[in-house]
Amino acid sequence: FNSADNFLKQYQKGRSGFVDTQSYLSFAENDYAFFKESVRAGMVYNALPALAQNACEKYLKDIIDRHFEPLNEKEDISKTNILRTHSLTKLLRFIEDNLNVSISEKTKDAIEGADGYYFSTRYPGDNSITVNERDIRKSDIALEHTKNLYWELEKILERSEPIIDHDDDLCL
């Protein structure tokens, strides 16, 4: 538990990266750090895969929130709705369909490996499960792939942003 204790102490001190309460990325990074510390400590609890899925959501939602600019009311509603989902599959499809990027099948499969934990590990019912080490590994793989995808997409999407030159002409 030393690692988790250290994480909490750093978090409580307001370590950089945990301060911005206005971005999905800040929350994703916070969840990522806590998940990783918990896994390193050997923890196997239902909350961990749900946390990993939630962190994956936040990485993907940050991409959408910052790079998808609605052009009309229909697109605005679409953006609002996608930012409310807990489905990693829907988020990945939205990114591909609306941001003109292609995501490899391997990456999508890895990320979608964490889809569904948000509900199945948090609430009682017919679809509830008790997680095991395999679930933790799947969640860890999904989270790593999502974080890597996030930074790859950031590079791609930042490059494709229009740049305003000195003559105020748009150029790509």
Side-chain angles (χ1 to χ4, degrees):
F1 293 102
N2 270 345
S3 295
D5 289 341
N6 288 340
F7 170 79
L8 290 173
K9 286 176 187 172
Q10 291 171 347
Y11 176 74
Q12 290 166 346
K13 287 181 185 177
R15 201 176 100 192
S16 65
F18 297 110
V19 178
D20 181 7
T21 59
Q22 300 303 308
S23 80
Y24 285 103
L25 178 59
S26 180
F27 281 92
E29 292 284 281
N30 180 297
D31 290 350
Y32 176 89
F34 187 75
F35 178 85
K36 288 301 203 176
E37 289 294 330
S38 298
V39 169
R40 274 193 278 281
M43 296 180 186
V44 180
Y45 293 103
N46 270 23
L48 290 177
L51 178 67
Q53 179 181 346
N54 205 247
C56 291
E57 289 175 32
K58 291 169 189 167
Y59 281 117
L60 299 175
K61 287 176 180 181
D62 193 76
I63 290 290
I64 294 166
D65 191 43
R66 293 184 334 93
H67 295 285
F68 178 70
E69 294 297 329
L71 300 175
N72 54 49
E73 185 178 349
K74 183 180 177 185
E75 288 183 356
D76 191 47
I77 291 168
S78 180
K79 181 177 181 178
T80 298
N81 288 338
I82 198 65
L83 292 175
R84 290 180 179 158
T85 190
H86 295 291
S87 170
L88 298 175
T89 300
K90 285 182 180 180
L91 291 164
L92 289 166
R93 285 184 186 163
F94 187 93
I95 289 169
E96 282 191 310
D97 293 347
N98 293 280
L99 297 178
N100 198 28
V101 294
S102 180
I103 302 168
S104 77
E105 291 301 314
K106 179 182 174 184
T107 296
K108 286 189 283 193
D109 287 345
I111 293 170
E112 290 170 349
D115 220 358
Y117 285 122
Y118 183 81
F119 292 107
S120 65
T121 63
R122 296 178 62 229
Y123 301 103
D126 293 340
N127 295 319
S128 297
I129 64 168
T130 300
V131 302
N132 58 29
E133 290 175 359
R134 181 176 180 270
D135 296 307
I136 301 296
R137 280 193 308 275
K138 281 176 55 178
S139 300
D140 194 16
I141 290 167
L143 189 51
E144 286 302 321
H145 274 80
T146 306
K147 185 173 182 172
N148 290 339
L149 175 64
Y150 176 87
W151 293 111
E152 287 175 31
L153 289 175
E154 272 301 301
K155 288 179 200 170
I156 292 166
L157 296 169
E158 287 297 322
R159 279 197 311 255
S160 66
E161 298 273 324
I163 300 169
I164 300 175
D165 69 12
H166 298 295
D167 295 327
D168 290 334
D169 293 330
L170 289 179
C171 48
L172 297 176

